[in-house]
Amino acid sequence: MSTPATLENLLIEAQRLFSLHDFPAAQAQCQHALSLYPGEPNVLHLLGAIAAGQGQAARAAAYFEVAAKSLPENPQVFFNLGSAQLSLGNPVAAQAAFARALVLRSNFPEALNNLGCALEAQNQFVAAQVRFEQALENAPSFVDARANLGRVLLRAGSPEAAKHQLELALSMAPNHVSTLHYLGLSEKG
């Protein structure tokens, strides 16, 4: 006798496939779950992550939007929604989603970092700098936040402070491509 397809079992299998980067199989598993559990927000959230993993930011954002309506207390849903919006070039929508994620989980370094990126995209360099610094307070070895802080300092006209942050990032990740790029710019500045 076979085990009934419970939502939990279907999600576990879909997440396993997703973690293996078998996006088509994970998507098929999610579609099967939706056929049994229509509108299930956790499945929609995972479908958004799958779409994001496939580089389909618009589709991912659509799934995350629907999931967020049913999971208003889940900071990861709002983080993922913000990330998709940032990928789509919508920094204002991304800012709102990251801000919601941070209301739900204030010490969320990835959300602080990405909020900094959304603010930087709107030329709000001081606010972006604050968010990158907050991310680093929560996760001092967060290379991307350190590199982003260096980049925003460079863009704000502080090449020496930028160089210091970029050198720190490079000491943690010697081959971090964007850090190398911005470090070269800081030395020209």
Side-chain angles (χ1 to χ4, degrees):
M1 179 177 259
S2 67
T3 305
T6 67
L7 177 59
E8 181 180 6
N9 290 340
L10 292 168
L11 270 172
I12 288 170
E13 179 60 12
Q15 289 168 337
R16 184 187 73 77
L17 293 165
F18 174 74
S19 71
L20 296 172
H21 297 273
D22 188 349
F23 299 132
Q27 185 173 356
Q29 184 75 5
C30 286
Q31 294 301 341
H32 176 63
L34 283 179
S35 73
L36 299 172
Y37 303 94
E40 167 53 45
N42 291 301
V43 175
L44 295 170
H45 183 214
L46 185 52
L47 279 167
I50 293 166
Q54 294 173 313
Q56 300 171 351
R59 202 168 108 225
Y63 280 124
F64 294 141
E65 285 278 354
V66 174
K69 290 176 184 168
S70 296
L71 299 170
E73 301 303 315
N74 185 327
Q76 191 65 46
V77 173
F78 289 95
F79 171 77
N80 290 342
L81 175 58
S83 296
Q85 291 292 352
L86 203 52
S87 292
L88 290 169
N90 299 326
V92 174
Q95 178 182 348
F98 294 132
R100 176 68 182 147
L102 288 163
V103 165
L104 298 169
R105 184 174 145 208
S106 61
N107 63 341
F108 193 164
E110 295 83 2
L112 287 161
N113 178 66
N114 286 13
L115 176 55
C117 292
L119 292 164
E120 182 184 2
Q122 298 171 69
N123 295 320
Q124 296 179 32
F125 301 135
V126 173
Q129 177 182 342
V130 168
R131 296 305 183 227
F132 296 137
E133 289 169 346
Q134 289 173 329
L136 290 165
E137 287 171 15
N138 286 285
S141 61
F142 188 178
V143 175
D144 288 339
R146 180 90 45 207
N148 291 339
L149 176 57
R151 182 187 64 237
V152 80
L153 287 167
L154 184 63
R155 291 187 69 200
S158 298
E160 287 304 313
K163 183 177 178 182
H164 174 71
Q165 292 300 325
L166 293 164
E167 287 173 343
L168 285 172
L170 205 54
S171 73
M172 293 183 264
N175 296 317
H176 196 261
V177 175
S178 64
T179 301
L180 291 167
H181 171 74
Y182 285 103
L183 184 58
L185 292 176
S186 75
E187 291 172 348
K188 290 178 185 175

